[in-house]
Amino acid sequence: MTAERSAALHGEVVERDVVIVGGGPAGLSAAARLASAGLAVTILDEQPELGGQYYRRPAPAVAEQWGDHRPDGGRLIARVRAAGAECRTGHLVWGVDDDGRTLLASDAAGHPVRLRARHLVLATGAFERVFPFPGWQLPGVTTPGFAQHLAAGDHTTIGERVVLAGSGPFLLPVACSLIELGVTVVGIAEAGRPYRPSLRALGALGHPARLRELAGYVARLARARVPIWQETVVLRADGRDRVSSVTLAAAARPARPVRTVEVDALCVGYGFRPQTDLARMLGCAVRVDVASGDAVPVTDAAGRASRADVYVVGEAAGIGGVHAAKARGLAAAHDILTREVRETVPVAEVRRVASARRRLARFTALTDSLYPGPAALLATLAPALPADTMVCRCEAVRAEEIRATAAGSADGDLNATKAWSRAGMGPCQGRECGFAVAGLVRSVAPRPGAGDGESRVEVFPSRLPVRPIPLATLLELAGPDSQEGDRS
Amino acid sequence: MTTARGRTAPRTRIVVDGNSVHAVDGISLAAVLVGERRWSLRRNPVGDDPRGPFCGMGVCFECEVTVDGRPGVRACITKIYDGMRVETAVEEEAPHDR
Ligand SMILES: Cc1cc2nc3c(=O)[nH]c(=O)nc-3n(C[C@H](O)[C@H](O)[C@H](O)COP(=O)(O)OP(=O)(O)OC[C@H]3O[C@@H](n4cnc5c(N)ncnc54)[C@H](O)[C@@H]3O)c2cc1C
Ligand code: FES
């Protein structure tokens, strides 16, 4: 589209000092600080309510009956509203116009909205890292985050007999939430060996509160007699129209079964991956994080990206948990306020946030070191993936097709593999299969001279729109002329 | 309904494939369906196999259903309201059906 054409785009136009995409802990923290300093702030989220993943709000009826599990989230949202930030929920930001700065969004009814601001803050959070196995597309197999949202937000159980699997600290609070609702957690399969007798001692030795929290979960699960099977991964899930059993294997020999367990739900996740499509679409530089293999935007300490008018904050800038997400949101707000010269941010406030950020980064490094790094895991799991495993759920592409394409016509290139095999081309845009596809490509076609191969894991490029949007939205954006026919 | 303690929370009625379902007001549509153990919501367009909610956060598109005539609505990020009409793309089988 030329500049002239985009000038002719239709729909509502919003101009603000700051536009924030994502209403989770990071975006909300930035919004509260900026709006209370008098800036014109708009915060958007595609969900029906603000809160993001961590502060996802329970329905009022649930909160009334069973309590609000995270009342601080409700208070933060109330502060954002009271400070005068414009809150647009049900708004999906799906792309960037050709001018490279106007965000393209659609509102809850599907009408187009365009937004421009002097400062863009991307706080789009993270999604769960999953890895396929035969049967993972069966209904009843989900991410741990889904089980957590059902339990904590909707007071609904995901099943009666559940196995949690994958890796990372998140499996523990999810297991505890399920137990609280009376679910039988048959066991937790953890790919690494993070839980050693010394872990409880670590907690007691004055390490940060969240490590103690972790030790607390372990203790609670021990009391409930929930086994934690360490160095164990899912080999396959079986069932007719719905999962009915899961077979586990030792992580070191992922193709050899060690036990089969009957379940009515199975939740598997390997932590989180930053959601960076918008940052990349805006041309922000990204780097490959060696331990995770994920693309992370390059930012300075305040979250400013390689483009001076774009900030990436919260887990979109790298996984670090809710407290780090909030600290990053605040640091970006301080930077923006300083640049706007509307207000001098008190030195003590800036220092407090900066030191919290450093402390939390050390803590993240400490917890990360307990669990296997995703890139290393991928190097073990990808070669062992059975040939007929459906890797791309959307386009139903199996491991053998991806391997053959990567080793053949695509010649080891991730994007060519995607284009030729169609893996990653469906509506989820490779969010669910991308990690595995990258691993499969590398396992059959290691980059010559790339050293250990692990540091070279690549990601699919971001594609417009970031989520499928109705054709009607595009037609309305293009204006009345187009509706007569040239596009349909 | 599996939320046994939930009897007294305000409930609302929605219609799923023509059948009335009562659930706690304002919870997510995915929670209502999974709470009823109604897992299969659509069929994969390529392989035709049944699919159900997976990510619970709006990124996988496996929970798409038709709500009040509007197709492609993600049940996991949609809250229920009284009288909501939901159509899935998978017929519920009677347990003895095959
Ligand atoms: C399913 C799930 C459950 C989780 N549960 C927990 C938990 O119980 N405890 C815990 O400690 N951590 C949990 N986490 C980890 C969580 O990511 C962080 O703790 C925290 O929520 C990160 O904050 P954030 O503000 O960076 O991002 P988020 O809280 O993820 O907020 C990002 C927001 O941006 C919105 N968004 C993204 N892209 C767009 C777009 N293009 N247009 C419009 N809106 C957009 C999303 O809808 C979301 O609301 C969970 C993560 C996931 C994925
Ligand atoms: S369950 Fe993934 S989009 Fe709803």
Side-chain angles (χ1 to χ4, degrees), chain A residues 22 24-26 45-47 52-54 91 93 123-125 148 170 272 315:
Chain A
D45 203 296
E46 68 170 314
Q47 308 244 16
Q53 305 304 339
Y54 187 84
H91 278 60
V93 178
T124 47
Q148 175 75 347
F170 186 52
F272 303 98
E315 298 217 304

Side-chain angles (χ1 to χ4, degrees), chain A residues 130-482:
Chain A
V130 290
F131 190 83
F133 46 84
W136 77 312
Q137 73 276 23
L138 280 170
V141 178
T142 76
T143 61
F146 182 41
Q148 175 75 347
H149 281 338
L150 286 184
D154 296 326
H155 202 86
T156 301
T157 59
I158 192 124
E160 338 296 336
R161 279 177 63 81
V162 181
V163 162
L164 295 169
S167 186
F170 186 52
L171 298 177
L172 306 183
V174 177
C176 291
S177 298
L178 292 181
I179 288 167
E180 227 160 83
L181 287 188
V183 174
T184 302
V185 178
V186 189
I188 301 175
E190 158 62 55
R193 180 165 287 282
Y195 311 117
R196 305 178 182 105
S198 56
L199 189 65
R200 285 177 79 167
L202 269 185
L205 281 173
H207 272 277
R210 294 209 89 192
L211 198 52
R212 259 199 312 270
E213 192 182 312
L214 202 63
Y217 291 135
V218 174
R220 196 140 128 228
L221 293 169
R223 278 200 304 278
R225 299 186 189 287
V226 173
I228 302 184
W229 303 305
Q230 303 200 72
E231 294 177 324
T232 301
V233 294
V234 175
L235 177 69
R236 58 180 302 114
D238 290 286
R240 203 177 54 189
D241 301 332
R242 187 178 151 190
V243 65
S244 56
S245 73
V246 52
T247 301
L248 303 168
R253 311 178 73 170
R256 226 186 68 183
V258 292
R259 81 172 80 220
T260 296
V261 186
E262 278 182 22
V263 293
D264 60 0
L266 167 66
C267 310
V268 191
Y270 291 84
F272 303 98
R273 307 182 80 190
Q275 192 145 233
T276 57
D277 334 57
L278 287 176
R280 289 185 285 152
M281 226 174 254
L282 283 159
C284 300
V286 292
R287 65 181 173 82
V288 173
D289 177 67
V290 176
S292 67
D294 296 334
V296 260
V298 177
T299 60
D300 69 8
R304 213 194 290 190
S306 62
R307 256 181 81 154
D309 58 340
V310 178
Y311 292 78
V312 188
V313 300
E315 298 217 304
I319 304 310
V322 57
H323 301 292
K326 290 169 82 172
R328 287 175 184 166
L330 280 176
H334 291 160
D335 204 60
I336 291 171
L337 288 176
T338 311
R339 285 168 75 190
E340 287 281 321
V341 220
R342 295 242 189 139
E343 188 194 346
T344 340
V345 183
V347 178
E349 184 182 337
V350 174
R351 284 219 184 107
R352 198 170 58 240
V353 171
S355 94
R357 263 194 21 250
R358 283 192 299 271
R359 185 162 35 78
L360 291 161
R362 279 198 302 276
F363 169 67
T364 302
L366 185 65
T367 9
D368 281 356
S369 70
L370 291 172
Y371 298 89
L377 255 173
L378 192 57
T380 326
L381 296 181
L385 204 58
D388 65 346
T389 315
M390 188 180 288
V391 173
C392 169
R393 308 166 60 99
C394 301
E395 298 287 327
V397 188
R398 299 185 186 268
E400 59 196 347
E401 299 165 58
I402 295 167
R403 287 191 182 112
T405 310
S409 50
D411 195 25
D413 183 77
L414 178 64
N415 280 318
T417 305
K418 172 180 169 177
W420 291 91
S421 71
R422 295 199 59 77
M425 301 275 273
C428 94
Q429 302 226 342
R431 285 181 186 87
E432 308 303 351
C433 71
F435 179 62
V437 174
L440 286 170
V441 172
R442 255 338 114 239
S443 71
V444 294
R447 276 278 153 90
D452 59 0
E454 281 177 15
S455 60
R456 295 296 310 241
V457 176
E458 297 120 316
V459 295
F460 291 145
S462 62
R463 201 176 83 201
L464 187 138
V466 301
R467 314 241 196 287
I469 49 165
L471 186 62
T473 306
L474 290 176
L475 290 174
E476 191 179 336
L477 185 66
D481 306 346
S482 71

Side-chain angles (χ1 to χ4, degrees), chain B residues 30 41-42 52-54 58 60-65 73-77:
Chain B
L41 304 184
R42 60 191 281 269
F54 179 71
C60 76
F61 291 80
E62 295 279 33
C63 66
E64 284 185 334
V65 291
V73 174
R74 287 168 285 172
C76 68
I77 58 168

